[in-house]
Amino acid sequence: MPGYTTRELVVCLGGRDYRIRALSDLQQFADPHHLAERIGISSALWSLFGQVWPSGKVMAEAMSTHDIGGKRILELGCGLGLSSLVLQHRRADITASDHHPLAELFLRHNATQNKMLAIVYRDLRWEVPDLTLGVFDLIIGSDVLYESGHADQLAATILRHATPDAEILITDPGRGNSTFFTRALAIQGFAVTEQRSRFNKDDAPPFRGRLLSYRRGQSANGKLAL
């Protein structure tokens, strides 16, 4: 592809191998039409969407066993779409979303090379209300609290798009911003349950990485399988 290079990976998720197209490394950058520049994505951050991150793998593993029956599901900041691919394989009602100019292209390619139907995709800016998106029973996100300002933006997105009894699942590698998000969701009536998780093979207890489950008025059911 002009302007940047890619690599093909095989990632095992939920006991199944998925073929994933990713960027070759973190040095890749191409914005010939200034699309990323106009939406505030710098060259230093441009390539982050195109990597297989530990937090994404943790969420995708969780989605391989999580209860999805009858639920409308939204993935925020889908990047390469690992969790959405797992959910599509399970025939879930999944909508993937991101705001990177190339996220939809990579998601479509990864679905195709894994012999799946196209995954519903929405370009979603957290700070801009989308009145057509609707509400969801399960909202997931992997390492979406990357910057301190993301907590309030993400909480506002949850307020707009979560059903009254929705569950919110977030993987957090320990960047220190989840406390602000938890406080913001508490105002909406959400309680949190956390499960410490190994994000890398070299992680040692107590793990910094966590899978955070938010539900209104009650704790999570403790049936997360990682």
Side-chain angles (χ1 to χ4, degrees):
M1 293 185 181
Y4 58 90
T5 62
T6 63
R7 55 181 172 159
E8 300 293 327
L9 307 174
V10 176
V11 182
C12 184
L13 302 168
R16 182 180 189 270
D17 286 342
Y18 290 82
R19 296 176 58 202
I20 302 297
R21 170 172 286 173
L23 293 176
S24 296
D25 52 49
L26 289 172
Q27 305 308 311
Q28 302 304 316
F29 175 72
D31 189 26
H33 304 296
H34 306 288
L35 298 177
E37 181 182 357
R38 283 197 289 271
I39 59 179
I41 299 177
S42 69
S43 58
L45 299 178
W46 186 91
S47 63
L48 297 183
F49 93 97
Q51 309 298 323
V52 174
W53 296 104
S55 53
K57 293 181 67 175
V58 169
M59 179 63 76
E61 283 290 342
M63 289 302 99
S64 70
T65 58
H66 201 68
D67 178 19
I68 60 171
K71 295 179 181 179
R72 189 173 187 231
I73 306 170
L74 173 66
E75 181 176 13
L76 298 171
C78 69
L80 298 176
L82 299 186
S83 293
S84 289
L85 290 167
V86 170
L87 289 165
Q88 183 80 329
H89 174 66
R90 297 183 65 195
R91 302 184 185 278
D93 182 356
I94 173 64
T95 297
S97 69
D98 206 301
H99 193 46
H100 193 285
L102 291 182
E104 184 177 13
L105 175 65
F106 274 70
L107 179 69
R108 186 187 313 128
H109 177 87
N110 287 333
T112 298
Q113 68 177 358
N114 285 285
K115 297 181 171 54
M116 296 180 183
L117 296 176
I119 297 171
V120 176
Y121 177 83
R122 296 293 290 267
D123 185 329
L124 183 63
R125 296 185 64 172
W126 299 347
E127 71 276 22
V128 179
D130 184 341
L131 301 180
T132 68
L133 185 58
V135 295
F136 296 82
D137 308 293
L138 175 61
I139 299 177
I140 64 175
S142 304
D143 197 6
V144 287
L145 300 170
Y146 191 81
E147 299 178 357
S148 59
H150 288 165
D152 287 339
Q153 293 179 4
L154 187 58
T157 301
I158 299 301
L159 181 63
R160 290 191 290 266
H161 299 298
T163 61
D165 59 349
E167 181 181 16
I168 316 302
L169 279 178
I170 304 293
T171 52
D172 172 37
R175 298 190 187 279
N177 297 319
S178 63
T179 299
F180 303 105
F181 180 64
T182 296
R183 290 173 182 167
L185 284 199
I187 296 173
Q188 300 181 32
F190 284 95
V192 62
T193 296
E194 70 172 45
Q195 180 170 328
R196 296 278 175 169
S197 305
R198 176 180 278 109
F199 277 34
N200 292 290
K201 62 181 178 62
D202 296 328
D203 286 351
F207 304 123
R208 284 175 54 84
R210 295 170 295 170
L211 180 57
L212 303 171
S213 174
Y214 299 85
R215 287 185 174 175
R216 283 191 173 99
Q218 61 181 1
S219 295
N221 59 21
K223 294 183 179 178
L224 301 174
L226 296 180

